[in-house]
């Protein structure tokens, strides 16, 4: 009996089995449709893409208007549980205090949800944020370092940060 065919078979069978397992574990085919026999074109799939993004890449969900000492500034809130929680409290009028010559802070009427929020954030000029440890709204008009407990809520339109630097009061409301 010649052992060569058996040795070749012994090498091919495990490789074939591995290939079958790998192919069975991946599913690159489109999902089956109940109307696949229909001559009508399939309806487009619902997009799971995020909402529009700001230049900083942070998703936005709600347009708001800030009024800084009587001057309106457009802004957007992102689509996070924390931002939705602050939106539920609108309209808000808050007194601002300067912190570290980089941001204006204000006490919020109640704590916001931080469900799913990252441990902290690195704010950018123009950002609206929630500083959970102190239950405060933080708005940035200059660069500031990463802060644990900071949750980015949204961003002001261009020009808002300059106006914020001298503001003593902020009103936040849904955009008309």
């Amino acid at each position: 009996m010649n052992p060569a065919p058996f040795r070749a078979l012994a090498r091919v069978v495990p490789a074939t089995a591995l290939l079958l397992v790998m192919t069975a574990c991946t599913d690159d085919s489109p999902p089956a449709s109940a109307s696949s026999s229909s001559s009508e074109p399939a309806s487009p799939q619902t997009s799971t893409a995020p909402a529009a993004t700001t230049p900083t890449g942070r998703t936005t969900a709600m347009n708001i208007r800030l009024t800084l000492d009587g001057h309106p500034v457009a802004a957007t809130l992102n689509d996070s549980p924390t931002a939705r929680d602050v939106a539920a409290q609108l309209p808000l009028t808050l007194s601002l205090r300067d912190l570290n010559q980089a941001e204006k802070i204000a006490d919020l009427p109640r704590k916001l949800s931080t469900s799913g929020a990252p441990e902290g954030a690195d704010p950018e000029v123009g950002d609206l944020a929630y500083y959970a440890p102190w239950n405060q709204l933080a708005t940035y008009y200059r660069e500031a370092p990463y802060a644990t407990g900071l949750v980015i809520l949204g961003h002001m339109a261009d020009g808002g940060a300059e106006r914020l630097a001298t503001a003593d009061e902020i009103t936040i409301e849904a955009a008309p």
Side-chain angles (χ1 to χ4, degrees):
M1 178 179 245
N2 186 355
F6 292 112
R7 278 191 293 245
L9 188 58
R11 279 184 253 141
V12 171
V13 169
T16 304
L18 179 61
L19 181 61
L20 287 172
V21 168
M22 296 290 290
T23 305
C25 291
T26 61
D27 182 17
D28 292 335
S29 62
S33 171
S35 62
S36 61
S37 62
S38 170
S39 62
E40 294 178 24
S43 62
Q45 300 258 337
T46 303
S47 173
T48 57
T53 58
T54 64
T56 61
R58 298 167 189 212
T59 61
T60 59
M62 179 181 186
N63 291 327
I64 58 171
R65 182 176 53 207
L66 309 178
T67 304
L68 300 167
D69 288 341
H71 302 283
V73 174
T76 54
L77 291 177
N78 61 37
D79 190 23
S80 69
T82 309
R84 287 191 299 268
D85 199 10
V86 79
Q89 295 184 42
L90 300 182
L92 287 171
T93 298
L94 307 166
S95 295
L96 295 171
R97 298 181 308 278
D98 197 81
L99 183 67
N100 299 325
Q101 297 178 341
E103 64 187 281
K104 294 284 183 150
I105 59 171
D107 297 323
L108 290 170
R110 67 169 174 81
K111 289 202 170 276
L112 302 178
S113 167
T114 55
S115 173
E119 183 179 306
D122 188 10
E124 297 178 9
V125 172
D127 274 351
L128 307 171
Y130 174 59
Y131 187 60
W134 295 349
N135 187 44
Q136 290 180 330
L137 176 71
T139 52
Y140 292 87
Y141 62 91
R142 288 205 180 115
E143 293 294 322
Y146 175 92
T148 301
L150 189 69
V151 180
I152 302 298
L153 301 172
H155 197 80
M156 289 181 265
D158 291 341
E162 293 83 17
R163 194 166 298 283
L164 175 67
T166 59
D168 293 319
E169 184 177 84
I170 185 171
T171 297
I172 308 167
E173 55 194 341

